[in-house]
Amino acid sequence: MYRIFAYCGSRNPQSRTLQAIVLIQQWLSSLQDSIDTQISWTICTPKDLRILPSDGTAWEFSTGVDRQELLGIDDSGRLKTMIEHCDYLILGSPTYGHNVSGDMKIVMDRLCYWSHLFYLSGKPGMPLVSASTNGYLKVGDMLERFMDSLGIVRDPTAYNTYGMPFENNEAQGAARHILAALTSHEASMPNGYQEELFRSYKRSYIRRNEQNAEYRYWKKHRMFDCDSLAEYFASLPQVEH
Ligand SMILES: Cc1cc2nc3c(=O)[nH]c(=O)nc-3n(C[C@H](O)[C@H](O)[C@H](O)COP(=O)(O)O)c2cc1C
């Protein structure tokens, strides 16, 4: 079973971001006959999951523990589990004032400590951005950099704007990318930006004390022993479906 998880950062009942995700889902199900493995989808919006904003303590970076998740006062535990366990991650956001939506930013803030760990290393994914007319490239860039920092191997960003509506052609293309990523037997490769981040984090974290959660994670996963993120990706076990 391949599991796809999509988070759509829009509360709009007529969300064009959500419509684009559903169109990709429909196209992927029409391509599904070409493979033996079933594909399951979970699509969530801020109306399905209550995610509190960061408490601002940055405790999770140094301890590895997200206090709000631990207290069970929101659905962040559920969200993280769905993201961790999926085989393909779609993050879709509307453009609000040339930025991601507030709901998407909250999710990004809450997952930010994962980015210092390349926690989703090798997981394939796709950013998706909706807008009426302007500011969407900046939003695409934000989602791309965020997904890069999590270690995700990205497919091209999908855009749904008035000038470039996301229709059948685009959805079919996106579905083909997803299918190829899910069924690929080739080694996942990080991009240049991810390699640069890896080098800079490695230089910094190796000097930390042994109590620090980032140091401990890097040590446990033998990331300090890797000369590159590509080498780390190659050391990861293959996911069974
Ligand atoms: C608060 C707010 C700010 C917006 N800012 C922009 C913007 O900067 N540029 C733009 O092209 N569209 C902007 N829009 C329009 C939305 O990006 C557009 O309606 C998009 O389809 C929203 O995604 P959704 O349909 O998934 O909710 C804005 C809409 C809202 C509600």
Side-chain angles (χ1 to χ4, degrees):
M1 169 84 78
Y2 294 121
R3 285 153 303 190
I4 300 179
F5 178 69
Y7 184 79
C8 165
S10 174
R11 294 169 184 262
N12 182 356
Q14 269 87 47
S15 168
R16 290 165 58 245
T17 313
L18 189 58
Q19 285 165 19
I21 293 169
V22 171
L23 201 56
I24 297 172
Q25 181 184 19
Q26 287 165 356
W27 272 102
L28 195 55
S29 89
S30 76
L31 299 173
Q32 159 131 34
D33 289 349
S34 60
I35 57 166
D36 296 333
T37 313
Q38 288 291 309
I39 298 178
S40 84
W41 280 76
T42 306
I43 304 173
C44 290
T45 77
K47 293 194 279 193
D48 304 310
L49 297 169
R50 178 170 175 263
I51 308 295
L52 289 173
S54 163
D55 64 9
T57 60
W59 210 61
E60 64 275 27
F61 291 87
S62 54
T63 64
V65 177
D66 175 343
R67 204 156 21 185
Q68 300 191 92
E69 178 191 350
L70 189 67
L71 291 171
I73 52 179
D74 71 359
D75 296 319
S76 53
R78 262 179 71 207
L79 173 68
K80 289 184 195 178
T81 303
M82 288 189 283
I83 292 178
E84 280 178 279
H85 291 166
C86 75
D87 301 300
Y88 196 98
L89 176 66
I90 298 175
L91 291 181
S93 180
T95 299
Y96 285 175
H98 293 208
N99 215 312
V100 292
S101 68
D103 283 301
M104 180 55 81
K105 184 63 170 68
I106 286 173
V107 166
M108 290 165 76
D109 290 347
R110 292 295 303 280
L111 299 182
C112 200
Y113 73 111
W114 280 3
S115 73
H116 291 187
L117 314 174
F118 293 101
Y119 192 71
L120 301 178
S121 277
K123 194 186 289 292
M126 180 185 290
L128 195 157
V129 180
S130 293
S132 48
T133 53
N134 55 74
Y136 48 86
L137 290 178
K138 199 166 153 238
V139 176
D141 200 53
M142 285 173 193
L143 288 179
E144 286 166 10
R145 294 288 85 87
F146 177 64
M147 293 176 92
D148 283 347
S149 71
L150 293 172
I152 288 171
V153 179
R154 278 189 292 110
D155 279 320
T157 304
Y159 290 98
N160 188 9
T161 70
Y162 291 174
M164 300 183 296
F166 192 87
E167 293 172 342
N168 283 320
N169 266 347
E170 291 74 20
Q172 190 180 13
R176 285 192 191 285
H177 275 297
I178 295 173
L179 195 63
L182 288 173
T183 56
S184 167
H185 296 295
E186 283 170 30
S188 309
M189 288 302 287
N191 61 32
Y193 174 78
Q194 291 175 307
E195 286 291 9
E196 213 174 290
L197 264 187
F198 180 83
R199 281 193 294 274
S200 115
Y201 287 164
K202 184 177 165 183
R203 270 196 302 275
S204 158
Y205 300 159
I206 207 159
R207 298 195 205 105
R208 300 263 177 86
N209 69 55
E210 306 229 340
Q211 267 68 55
N212 179 265
E214 287 164 351
Y215 177 87
R216 281 189 275 117
Y217 186 94
W218 277 63
K219 183 97 183 155
K220 181 176 169 200
H221 292 84
R222 301 182 167 278
M223 294 165 84
F224 292 130
D225 300 334
C226 294
D227 289 331
S228 65
L229 190 60
E231 192 181 327
Y232 177 56
F233 278 14
S235 75
L236 296 172
Q238 291 287 315
V239 184
E240 296 290 328
H241 298 288

